[in-house]
């Protein structure tokens, strides 16, 4: 029998473009997702999409089922939100604080999409740069923080994993390196956000364990960090999504760190009293859906 989960699977395959990312979006293993697709294809005795196409190209059978998904899923999601409003109330607010400003690029479209789904919930950004966003949750000045997991005092929702890349000016001495190792940073000036060193992945995971000596300079805005890098004031480690356009236009050069790369995880943290609010959980879902579709090189966390 065709079920709602099957339609959600097809929609996730289309929006994510691959089996791997669709499985992450749906919180399934890739084998479980493949099994689900295989059962559908056996039922309809036809493939749903071309196996070797990137992104996924749907067959006539798959496209027809997607038409059904496009009609039914928005109505089902709307009904689920309406039921949540009836049971929990339809008013609320979400004051969002960011651990770093690199999230701004993808957060604005997320907030726009959320406002369309929850127009009665007031959502806004907590202004200014905050070196300790968890303090905003404790004081009641923020309702939600995007950044490191601030447990156990708060409820934490996983978002995605991303790679930190080191950016440097064109013709920097390290440009010839295919991958950087700890010793490459000796004597360099590292440009970071003004946060404690233990919250900076490159320092915590790479430089401090190796005993590397380096200078540090801070800037609050990503664009300011990149301007300092381009003008040869130092190097920086930033998320892959934050630097893509700058690298594509040859403003800076990017290199991975270590044999397997330097990866970081992003989470949403909220006070426990908000953990079951439907609009909070839907905001997390919107982030995951939008970022899976628009950000290259991320891995959704389960």
């Amino acid at each position: 029998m065709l079920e709602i989960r099957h339609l959600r699977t097809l929609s996730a395959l289309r929006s994510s473009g691959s089996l791997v990312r669709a499985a992450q979006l749906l919180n399934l293993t890739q084998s479980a997702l493949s099994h689900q697709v295989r059962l559908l294809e056996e039922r309809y005795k036809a493939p749903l999409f071309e196996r070797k196409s990137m992104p996924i190209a749907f067959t006539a059978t798959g496209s027809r089922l997607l038409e059904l998904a496009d009609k039914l899923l928005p109505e089902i999601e709307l009904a689920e939100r309406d039921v949540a409003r009836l049971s929990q109330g339809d008013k609320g607010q979400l004051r969002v604080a960011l651990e770093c400003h690199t999230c701004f690029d993808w957060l604005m479209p997320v907030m726009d999409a959320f406002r369309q789904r929850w127009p009665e919930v007031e959502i806004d950004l907590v202004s200014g740069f905050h070196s300790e966003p968890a303090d905003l949750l404790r004081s009641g000045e923020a309702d939600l923080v995007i950044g490191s997991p601030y447990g156990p005092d708060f409820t934490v929702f996983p978002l995605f994993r991303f790679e930190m890349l080191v950016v440097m000016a064109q013709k920097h001495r390290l440009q010839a390196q295919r991958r950087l190792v700890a010793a490459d940073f000796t004597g360099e000036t590292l440009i970071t956000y003004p946060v404690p060193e233990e919250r900076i992945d490159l320092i915590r995971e790479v430089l401090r364990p190796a005993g590397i000596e380096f200078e540090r300079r801070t800037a609050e805005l990503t664009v300011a960090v990149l301007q300092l890098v381009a003008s040869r004031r130092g190097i920086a480690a930033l998320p892959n999504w934050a630097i893509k356009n700058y690298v594509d236009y040859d403003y800076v050069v990017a290199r991975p760190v270590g044999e397997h790369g330097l990866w970081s995880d992003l989470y949403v943290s909220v006070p426990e009293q908000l953990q079951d609010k439907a609009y909070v959980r839907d905001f997390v879902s919107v982030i995951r859906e939008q970022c899976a579709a628009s950000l290259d090189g991320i891995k959704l966390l389960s």
Side-chain angles (χ1 to χ4, degrees):
M1 181 182 296
L2 184 65
E3 301 176 16
I4 294 173
R5 65 190 177 98
H6 298 143
L7 299 180
R8 285 182 168 143
T9 292
L10 292 171
S11 181
L13 283 168
R14 179 180 58 189
S15 63
S16 64
S18 73
L19 279 168
V20 174
R21 298 186 77 172
Q24 294 173 344
L25 189 59
L26 296 166
N27 287 326
L28 296 173
T29 64
Q30 188 175 346
S31 61
L33 180 61
S34 297
H35 179 69
Q36 188 183 124
V37 170
R38 187 165 58 252
L39 290 178
L40 272 178
E41 291 179 329
E42 290 175 359
R43 171 179 172 78
Y44 294 110
K45 297 180 174 57
L48 299 178
F49 54 87
E50 302 294 338
R51 285 300 191 272
K52 295 183 179 181
S53 62
M54 285 295 291
I56 289 176
F58 288 89
T59 63
T61 301
S63 296
R64 181 61 186 90
L65 292 176
L66 271 174
E67 289 179 18
L68 179 62
D70 289 340
K71 291 179 181 178
L72 292 184
L73 291 182
E75 290 298 320
I76 292 170
E77 291 168 359
L78 177 60
E80 288 175 338
R81 290 195 294 273
D82 287 343
V83 169
R85 289 182 177 96
L86 290 171
S87 62
Q88 298 183 5
D90 60 359
K91 301 293 183 184
Q93 67 174 357
L94 270 182
R95 294 163 297 170
V96 180
L98 300 177
E99 190 173 280
C100 72
H101 285 215
T102 53
C103 296
F104 276 126
D105 287 347
W106 56 258
L107 183 59
M108 295 301 103
V110 165
M111 292 176 68
D112 290 341
F114 178 80
R115 288 189 181 99
Q116 293 179 12
R117 294 165 71 150
W118 293 89
E120 60 283 302
V121 174
E122 183 179 347
I123 183 169
D124 201 0
L125 287 172
V126 179
S127 62
F129 190 94
H130 307 282
S131 60
E132 293 291 347
D135 291 342
L136 299 175
L137 291 178
R138 296 187 181 95
S139 65
E141 297 175 74
D143 306 298
L144 181 149
V145 168
I146 299 173
S148 304
Y150 290 109
D153 298 334
F154 308 103
T155 300
V156 176
F157 297 97
L159 293 179
F160 55 84
R161 172 167 292 178
F162 58 93
E163 187 174 11
M164 298 292 292
L165 297 174
V166 172
V167 289
M168 62 194 76
Q170 293 286 346
K171 299 181 180 179
H172 189 280
R173 70 175 184 88
L174 296 176
Q175 183 175 347
Q177 300 282 95
R178 189 175 66 87
R179 290 180 173 273
L180 303 184
V181 296
D184 293 327
F185 295 89
T186 302
E188 289 287 340
T189 297
L190 184 63
I191 303 169
T192 75
Y193 297 109
V195 299
E197 287 191 357
E198 60 269 18
R199 293 220 337 253
I200 299 173
D201 298 289
L202 179 62
I203 296 177
R204 185 184 66 251
E205 303 293 336
V206 179
L207 303 184
R208 287 296 182 225
I212 302 300
E213 296 293 330
F214 61 94
E215 300 294 328
R216 185 183 174 199
R217 179 172 179 172
T218 63
E220 292 187 358
L221 301 177
T222 303
V223 64
V225 172
L226 288 165
Q227 286 175 345
L228 288 170
V229 168
S231 60
R232 302 183 178 278
R233 306 297 179 85
I235 60 177
L238 293 170
N240 50 7
W241 80 75
I243 62 173
K244 184 178 186 304
N245 289 338
Y246 298 92
V247 173
D248 288 346
Y249 286 99
D250 295 326
Y251 188 66
V252 292
V253 176
R255 293 290 182 267
V257 180
E259 182 179 356
H260 303 292
L262 177 63
W263 292 82
S264 185
D265 296 341
L266 201 63
Y267 297 84
V268 160
S269 298
V270 300
E272 290 185 357
Q273 63 267 26
L274 293 179
Q275 65 177 330
D276 293 323
K277 288 291 186 181
Y279 60 82
V280 170
R281 292 181 173 269
D282 202 38
F283 183 65
V284 174
S285 296
V286 173
I287 293 176
R288 289 170 59 88
E289 292 166 7
Q290 295 261 336
C291 290
S294 63
L295 298 183
D296 293 330
I298 69 167
K299 302 175 182 179
L300 292 177
L301 298 171
S302 58

